[in-house]
Amino acid sequence: KSLPYFCRGEVVRGFGRGSKELGIPTANFPVSVVDHLPADIGTGIYYGWACVGNGDVFKMVMSIGWNPYYKNTKKSMETHVIHTFKEDFYGEILSVVMVGYIRPERSYDSLEALIAAINNDIEEAKLKLELPEHLKLKEDNFFTSVT
Ligand code: ADP
Ligand code: MG
C-alpha cells in the first residue's frame, strides 16, 4: 500500500469553512498535489508529520475528502499542523508525510461533536507518532531537502 506517502506543495486558500474559527485551521493543498494521490489513499482522516518551508517538523492530522469546488469530482487534502504558529502561511511550501490512517469521514450532529472528534484524532496522532517506526520518519531527508 501507499503509506508512508510523501508530498509537498503550496498552501492555497480553502473555502472558508471556518476551520480557524473552530480553533483547528487546515492548510489546503492545490489540485496539482491532490491529483498525484495514489488511488488506494481513500477519503478519511490520516496522521503524520509536516513542515512549513524550512521550518521544524511537527505532528499533523490530515483530512481527505471530496472537494465541493470541483463538484466533488476531486479530493481535497487539508492538513492541521499540531503547533501554534504566529502567522498564517498561505503561499508557503508545506511538506508532509502521511504515516497512518485513523478513521473514515463522517458527519456530526453538532459542532461540539465535530470538534470533539477532531480533538480525539489529534490525541491519537500524537500517541501513534511516538512509535519508533513513525518517529524515524520525522528525521527523513525529505524534510531537509526543501529548497
Ligand atoms: P482556509 O479555508 O483558507 O483553508 P482555514 O480556516 O482552514 O482557512 O485556515 C487555514 C490557514 O491557517 C492555513 O492556510 C495557514 O495559513 C493557517 N494556519 C495557522 N496555523 C495553522 C496550523 N496549525 N495548521 C494549519 N494551518 C494553519
Ligand atoms: Mg482549511
Side-chain angles (χ1 to χ4, degrees), residues 14-28 78-80 90 114-115 118:
F15 313 97
R17 279 188 282 202
S19 315
K20 207 174 285 173
E21 285 68 39
L22 305 183
I24 311 157
T26 59
N28 290 60
E78 303 189 19
T79 303
H80 173 67
Y90 290 110
L114 170 64
I115 294 172
I118 297 170

Side-chain angles (χ1 to χ4, degrees), residues 40-83:
D40 67 340
I41 295 190
T43 61
I45 312 301
Y46 293 80
Y47 63 90
W49 300 101
C51 87
V52 176
N54 292 306
D56 293 338
V57 181
F58 300 108
K59 294 172 178 177
M60 66 80 167
V61 289
M62 182 193 287
S63 161
I64 297 188
W66 292 106
N67 194 326
Y69 188 82
Y70 294 95
K71 299 198 164 78
N72 300 333
T73 55
K74 286 183 186 294
K75 286 172 185 167
S76 68
M77 297 169 73
E78 303 189 19
T79 303
H80 173 67
V81 186
I82 305 175
H83 177 73

Side-chain angles (χ1 to χ4, degrees), residues 42-143:
T43 61
I45 312 301
Y46 293 80
Y47 63 90
W49 300 101
C51 87
V52 176
N54 292 306
D56 293 338
V57 181
F58 300 108
K59 294 172 178 177
M60 66 80 167
V61 289
M62 182 193 287
S63 161
I64 297 188
W66 292 106
N67 194 326
Y69 188 82
Y70 294 95
K71 299 198 164 78
N72 300 333
T73 55
K74 286 183 186 294
K75 286 172 185 167
S76 68
M77 297 169 73
E78 303 189 19
T79 303
H80 173 67
V81 186
I82 305 175
H83 177 73
T84 304
F85 291 88
K86 289 199 198 76
E87 288 175 355
D88 285 352
F89 45 85
Y90 290 110
E92 299 225 41
I93 300 297
L94 178 69
S95 301
V96 305
V97 53
M98 295 164 62
V99 171
Y101 176 81
I102 299 182
R103 62 174 174 90
E105 278 203 306
R106 51 162 291 202
S107 55
Y108 293 90
D109 299 337
S110 68
L111 213 53
E112 289 72 26
L114 170 64
I115 294 172
I118 297 170
N119 283 321
N120 275 332
D121 298 336
I122 290 171
E123 290 313 309
E124 183 165 347
K126 284 182 181 171
L127 278 175
K128 290 257 172 73
L129 288 165
E130 289 300 318
L131 294 169
E133 77 250 43
H134 294 158
L135 270 176
K136 73 173 198 280
L137 287 165
K138 183 185 184 184
E139 314 298 335
D140 196 280
N141 278 338
F142 176 73
F143 288 119

